[in-house]
Amino acid sequence: MINSDNYYKLTSQTLQTDNIVSQKRNGIVEFELDASNVSSKAQAIEISNAILSEYADGKPYIETDWRGNPEISLGTLLNSRSNASESLTRYEILSNEITLENGLKFNSKSRQN
């Protein structure tokens, strides 16, 4: 028996948020959040809007072949530009492949940060 006026009934709810423009550009991406700390539908909508504002346009990836200093490790942030743009964009190194081919050769994959 509960002797309190301040009790909560624990329920499981699903909130689905769609962004048609993002889906056409990036395909359907499902993001699941263990929302044990979410206490209302309004808070869940606020969280989903924050996720959409960050990821709806996608996160561009680049792949670069280069030679040089092996000190660039996973998680390193660096600025780079494409041949089509003069402006710098910040990227995070996700993977490095190192081969020995007339010196150290690197293939780095990065995601826009």
Side-chain angles (χ1 to χ4, degrees), residues 67-112:
R67 297 181 185 271
N69 187 343
E71 291 185 17
I72 294 182
S73 58
L74 298 182
T76 298
L77 297 175
L78 54 91
N79 294 319
S80 184
R81 70 172 60 92
S82 69
N83 292 334
S85 174
E86 289 296 318
S87 62
L88 290 174
T89 303
R90 195 155 185 85
Y91 290 91
E92 176 184 9
I93 300 291
L94 298 178
S95 71
N96 284 323
E97 180 181 322
I98 303 171
T99 56
L100 183 59
E101 185 179 307
N102 296 327
L104 288 177
K105 180 181 175 186
F106 294 84
N107 177 278
S108 296
K109 293 182 179 142
S110 307
R111 174 185 63 204
Q112 185 176 338

Side-chain angles (χ1 to χ4, degrees), residues 53-65:
S53 70
E54 179 70 23
Y55 293 101
D57 288 334
K59 289 288 189 180
Y61 289 83
I62 61 171
E63 187 172 333
T64 307
D65 291 316

